[in-house]
Amino acid sequence: MAEILKAADALDAALRLLRRGELVAIPTETVYGLAGDATSGTAVARIFDAKGRPRFNPLIAHVSDMDMADRVGLVDPAARRLAEAFWPGPLTLVVALRPDAGIHPLVTAGLDSVALRMPRGFGRELVSRLERPLAAPSANRSGRISGTTAEAVQADIGQRIAMIVDGGATPVGLESTIVKVEDGRLRLLRAGGIASDEIEAAAGMPLLRRENTAAPADVEAPGMLASHYAPDAAVRLDAVEVHAGEALLAFGQARADGAERAAAMLNLSPRGDLREAAANLFSYLRRLDASGADVIAVEPIPAAGLGEAINDRLARAAAPRDNFGPRTGFRNR
Ligand code: TXA
Ligand code: MG
């Protein structure tokens, strides 16, 4: 298992490992990241191996300041405006890759664009001390629920990495919102920790959207494969009644019929607050999964604001899973 160090004591030990091309799981404000030196082919290859992630799926390069972002990508005025509004924070900008970026081509899966994000807190401090961008996908095995605590990361991939930095539960709880900036226009590639309407307000223009697709060949943010965030249990959305033996993921005050029959129940936010629900989503899915129920029934969750990203993750958790390789421990297929 990985060694777990508290964030306050971990900076030097994490730097030592990263400088040797090894991986460290780190807290960010969104979810835990599995970090490696983005300029090292060895480190980046280790990230793909530890996650079991297909190499066509590019990684986010985490930067500590605007100068570092400008050395890696071509941050045009539209992108800069969003960076100024939301960085450091849960926004990832996909921009053109600079030919002399210095990051390993595996990071971008050979694309001519790069995903840039400036995280808050420990992650930013670490990048700043390393003086190189960190490649960091969410610290979970590919296709599984993202880790929002050091314990969840340990349980999922602890056997494959040397060290986990424990910064407590991540405050946002959903991954960053990904926006692609192209010819001055903005496209939403992944709903996330900053609501789309906030981004539109800051940008002064609409976010273009695309159809979701399950076909890897034309996936634009390849992490957006249909099945993702999958617990072992099956997931049933928009439940208005609970069947015997199901676990219930509740939201707000009104309960689904038969809730008293639920084998286990957790309420994402009894007061109906979407920010609180986002922060609880992944850890509650894990806990209900651990209850051993075959099905997790999920009450309807409003689509506004952060509800867009919450519903996106739930839809992927509920999606048919046959676009993924073999997995162990399935109770339902
Ligand atoms: O909050 C987050 O974004 C977390 C923390 C650790 O920073 N990271 C994260 O990474 O969620 P990951 O690898 O799980 O998701 C990154 C997504 C993937 O869907 C990937 O396909 C997409 O970003 N992506 C990366 N580079 C891209 C590019 N050049 N063009 C389009 N999509 C890209
Ligand atoms: Mg992920």
Side-chain angles (χ1 to χ4, degrees), residues 239-274:
V240 291
E241 63 173 342
V242 182
H243 306 148
E246 288 183 338
L248 178 63
L249 187 61
F251 177 83
Q253 302 248 300
R255 272 305 59 71
D257 287 341
E260 65 286 349
R261 283 200 291 267
M265 179 176 94
L266 289 170
N267 194 327
L268 287 169
S269 174
R271 60 193 161 95
D273 179 78
L274 289 165

Side-chain angles (χ1 to χ4, degrees), residues 51 53 137-138 140 146 175 190 228-229:
K51 281 186 63 92
R53 177 176 176 121
S138 51
N140 52 277
S146 305
E175 299 85 347
R190 177 176 77 182
H228 211 101
Y229 312 100

Side-chain angles (χ1 to χ4, degrees), residues 102-138:
I103 60 173
H104 196 275
L106 262 179
V107 174
T108 55
L111 299 174
D112 54 11
S113 61
V114 61
L116 295 173
R117 167 160 127 75
M118 189 192 294
R120 286 187 202 132
F122 183 88
R124 186 180 182 196
E125 177 75 36
L126 192 61
V127 175
S128 156
R129 289 277 306 275
L130 187 67
E131 298 178 318
R132 290 166 181 204
L134 277 177
S138 51

Side-chain angles (χ1 to χ4, degrees), residues 85-112:
F86 298 108
W87 280 0
L91 173 71
T92 294
L93 294 167
V94 175
V95 302
L97 176 70
R98 291 184 74 103
D100 55 351
I103 60 173
H104 196 275
L106 262 179
V107 174
T108 55
L111 299 174
D112 54 11

Side-chain angles (χ1 to χ4, degrees), residues 28 30-33 53 57-60 62 92 94 111 113-115 117 136-138 175-176 178 189-190 220-224:
T28 83
T30 57
V31 299
Y32 277 73
R53 177 176 176 121
N57 191 356
L59 305 174
I60 296 172
H62 294 71
T92 294
V94 175
L111 299 174
S113 61
V114 61
R117 167 160 127 75
S138 51
E175 299 85 347
S176 59
I178 304 181
L189 297 188
R190 177 176 77 182
E220 199 149 354
M224 302 314 279

Side-chain angles (χ1 to χ4, degrees), residues 24 66 73 80 96 130 155 201 207 215 223-224 227 259 266 276 288:
V24 180
M66 235 20 241
R80 198 167 301 274
L130 187 67
L207 281 176
M224 302 314 279
S227 173
L266 289 170
E276 180 181 34
L288 291 179

